[in-house]
Amino acid sequence: MFSLENNVYLKIKKIFNKHNDILTEDFEKRIKKSIRVLHFEYLWGSCKEAEKVVSKNNLSSKDINLFDLIMDIYNKRRRQHQAKFLLLHCFENALRSTLAVKIANKYNGAKDNWFLDNSNMSEQMKSRIRRKCTRINIQAESTFEIFDCFYLIDLQEILSEYWFLFEDIFLGTKQ
């Protein structure tokens, strides 16, 4: 019977074929449990990196716990991913705020109500607002509440659709 954990373990075992002495029963048991819950690409890359460490330093089971080494490398990779995601999150928030402010400044009158009934807004934008606000069941009362409903792809579409409002921001030289 096919077992994904066994199949992946055999691949990991193959990476360490020159270092059979570090492949203990405890390692096998722990790595098979981990396969069920860890991100496979990070785990696979961590195993490859661990093999290089073991080979370079000529380590044995007396010198190192292979599972702990792999998990240390895995956690390093996960933290790097989180740091990169944080940058994307910051970018998305900055883009969201920039679009909201520019559109509100362009289409608002005396109050923040451009989204209620504005003949200057495209039908696509009106439809997007209705669809997103209905999806999360809110009655938006401000520009920021509306823009909080949008995904990154929505922001990209708004940016493309209303490029004439934003081109000065993105085309100018930056310091």
Side-chain angles (χ1 to χ4, degrees):
M1 181 161 81
F2 179 79
S3 165
L4 186 58
E5 293 93 348
N6 285 331
N7 191 28
V8 172
Y9 174 72
L10 292 175
K11 289 180 180 181
I12 292 171
K13 188 175 177 180
K14 198 174 201 179
I15 292 174
F16 295 98
N17 64 356
K18 297 177 187 171
H19 313 284
N20 285 329
D21 62 318
I22 60 175
L23 297 174
T24 64
E25 286 182 32
D26 181 57
F27 171 77
E28 181 179 353
K29 186 174 85 178
R30 292 172 75 190
I31 201 74
K32 283 182 178 180
K33 283 183 180 178
S34 299
I35 289 167
R36 295 178 191 172
V37 295
L38 298 178
H39 187 282
F40 177 74
E41 288 299 319
Y42 291 169
L43 178 62
W44 185 247
S46 300
C47 290
K48 289 178 183 177
E49 190 175 333
E51 193 283 325
K52 289 177 184 173
V53 169
V54 168
S55 292
K56 181 179 177 183
N57 298 308
N58 200 20
L59 300 173
S60 69
S61 61
K62 296 173 190 166
D63 304 320
I64 193 162
N65 180 318
L66 182 58
F67 181 80
D68 290 345
L69 174 63
I70 290 171
M71 289 302 105
D72 287 345
I73 295 169
Y74 179 90
N75 286 326
K76 177 188 75 170
R77 289 171 176 257
R78 185 185 47 77
R79 283 190 301 273
Q80 288 172 338
H81 172 81
Q82 287 174 333
K84 291 174 186 171
F85 184 76
L86 177 64
L87 293 175
L88 179 62
H89 183 71
C90 291
F91 169 77
E92 182 180 352
N93 285 338
L95 181 62
R96 181 182 316 282
S97 296
T98 300
L99 298 183
V101 168
K102 277 291 221 179
I103 286 183
N105 288 344
K106 172 73 175 172
Y107 294 107
N108 271 333
K111 293 171 35 177
D112 187 17
N113 63 358
W114 62 271
F115 47 87
L116 295 176
D117 184 32
N118 192 322
S119 57
N120 294 327
M121 276 286 121
S122 70
E123 286 304 315
Q124 191 174 7
M125 181 65 140
K126 291 176 187 177
S127 172
R128 181 181 290 114
I129 291 169
R130 280 191 303 273
R131 188 175 62 250
K132 295 297 180 174
C133 291
T134 302
R135 179 184 52 81
I136 60 173
N137 198 26
I138 69 160
Q139 183 65 37
E141 296 180 10
S142 74
T143 297
F144 284 116
E145 286 179 0
I146 287 174
F147 273 79
D148 280 346
C149 299
F150 295 149
Y151 294 132
L152 185 57
I153 189 68
D154 297 313
L155 301 178
Q156 178 187 352
E157 290 170 357
I158 292 167
L159 184 61
S160 295
E161 186 178 347
Y162 291 93
W163 179 248
F164 65 93
L165 288 176
F166 307 108
E167 64 186 332
D168 61 313
I169 297 171
F170 295 100
L171 294 179
T173 51
K174 308 292 182 264
Q175 295 184 3

